[in-house]
Amino acid sequence: RVAVAKWESGERAPKGEFLVKLSEVLGVSPSYFFESEKPEWDKNVERLPDKVIPIPIYGEAQAGSFGGYTMPTPEEYFPTPELMIKGLPPERVFWIRVEGHSMEPVFQPGDLVLVADPTWYEVKERSPVVVVNRDGELTLKYYHHDIKNKVVILEPANPGYKPIVIPEKELFSEEYIFFPVIAHTKLF
């Protein structure tokens, strides 16, 4: 808190790794903090307040193999800016907590992913999905449909983990449900 107050007052500037992390979070280059003349887009910016909606957290997905769980009722609710739900009705989205390491460095244990009802939002190639198997276990992976080999490949981000391969014939027997991830948040 003290460091941030000194940055805001101009008494000090962020240095090293803090400068890099701060610039990444804000979407600017590190040199932005040292420019006396700010870009036109940064002048007189008025931030509109986001409407915040409580969206339920219904369980956890393993970033590894299938595991995790879902609950019939929400574990808790997470305050979610309306813009994150991408115009979908709030009852068509929910949060899932991430556990495991196969999706690192993108998704960390404890992160939350916002998933959409697949009848309302399409699963996209090479996008993250939460997959529920017939036993009610969940996993988080990148989706890839290999049409030539008639399989869906659930790919990890972490190269230390193997992909999960699902034959197409199992997809149509309602053994798996694919929920597209539409947003992601890190909890600190």
Side-chain angles (χ1 to χ4, degrees), residues 3-97:
V4 172
K6 288 183 179 183
W7 298 343
E8 291 175 336
S9 71
E11 189 177 328
R12 275 198 170 148
K15 295 182 183 174
E17 67 183 67
F18 294 110
L19 178 64
V20 173
K21 285 187 185 226
L22 186 59
S23 66
E24 286 173 359
V25 167
L26 296 175
V28 298
S29 72
S31 64
Y32 170 84
F33 298 104
F34 303 104
E35 297 168 357
S36 58
E37 185 65 28
K38 299 297 182 203
E40 190 62 37
W41 57 263
D42 196 32
K43 295 178 182 170
N44 301 318
V45 174
E46 182 180 327
R47 185 163 173 356
L48 297 175
D50 289 334
K51 181 178 175 187
V52 176
I53 303 169
I55 301 292
I57 300 173
Y58 272 109
E60 84 180 24
Q62 287 295 313
S65 60
F66 279 97
Y69 60 88
T70 56
M71 302 295 289
T73 58
E75 293 178 353
E76 59 184 296
Y77 288 83
F78 186 75
T80 306
E82 186 176 36
L83 292 173
M84 286 182 100
I85 68 172
K86 302 186 185 226
L88 295 168
E91 63 274 8
R92 296 293 180 180
V93 297
F94 57 94
W95 290 100
I96 294 288
R97 194 175 315 279

Side-chain angles (χ1 to χ4, degrees), residues 13-177:
K15 295 182 183 174
E17 67 183 67
F18 294 110
L19 178 64
V20 173
K21 285 187 185 226
L22 186 59
S23 66
E24 286 173 359
V25 167
L26 296 175
V28 298
S29 72
S31 64
Y32 170 84
F33 298 104
F34 303 104
E35 297 168 357
S36 58
E37 185 65 28
K38 299 297 182 203
E40 190 62 37
W41 57 263
D42 196 32
K43 295 178 182 170
N44 301 318
V45 174
E46 182 180 327
R47 185 163 173 356
L48 297 175
D50 289 334
K51 181 178 175 187
V52 176
I53 303 169
I55 301 292
I57 300 173
Y58 272 109
E60 84 180 24
Q62 287 295 313
S65 60
F66 279 97
Y69 60 88
T70 56
M71 302 295 289
T73 58
E75 293 178 353
E76 59 184 296
Y77 288 83
F78 186 75
T80 306
E82 186 176 36
L83 292 173
M84 286 182 100
I85 68 172
K86 302 186 185 226
L88 295 168
E91 63 274 8
R92 296 293 180 180
V93 297
F94 57 94
W95 290 100
I96 294 288
R97 194 175 315 279
V98 177
E99 289 303 327
H101 303 280
S102 78
M103 294 301 283
E104 290 177 333
V106 180
F107 301 94
Q108 304 284 332
D111 289 358
L112 293 176
V113 290
L114 185 62
V115 298
D117 178 334
T119 63
W120 283 69
Y121 198 90
E122 183 180 358
V123 172
K124 296 183 173 111
E125 184 68 21
R126 305 275 183 206
S127 293
V129 292
V130 169
V131 183
V132 181
N133 69 12
R134 68 179 163 268
D135 298 323
E137 300 171 321
L138 289 74
T139 191
L140 170 67
K141 296 284 185 284
Y142 289 114
Y143 173 88
H144 171 58
H145 188 183
D146 182 344
I147 296 169
K148 180 182 172 190
N149 294 308
K150 297 182 178 180
V151 296
V152 166
I153 303 170
L154 302 177
E155 299 174 339
N158 183 336
Y161 288 79
K162 293 182 180 178
I164 298 171
V165 179
I166 303 172
E168 274 184 357
K169 63 182 178 188
E170 291 182 21
L171 299 178
F172 303 111
S173 63
E174 298 184 13
E175 292 190 34
Y176 298 93
I177 303 171

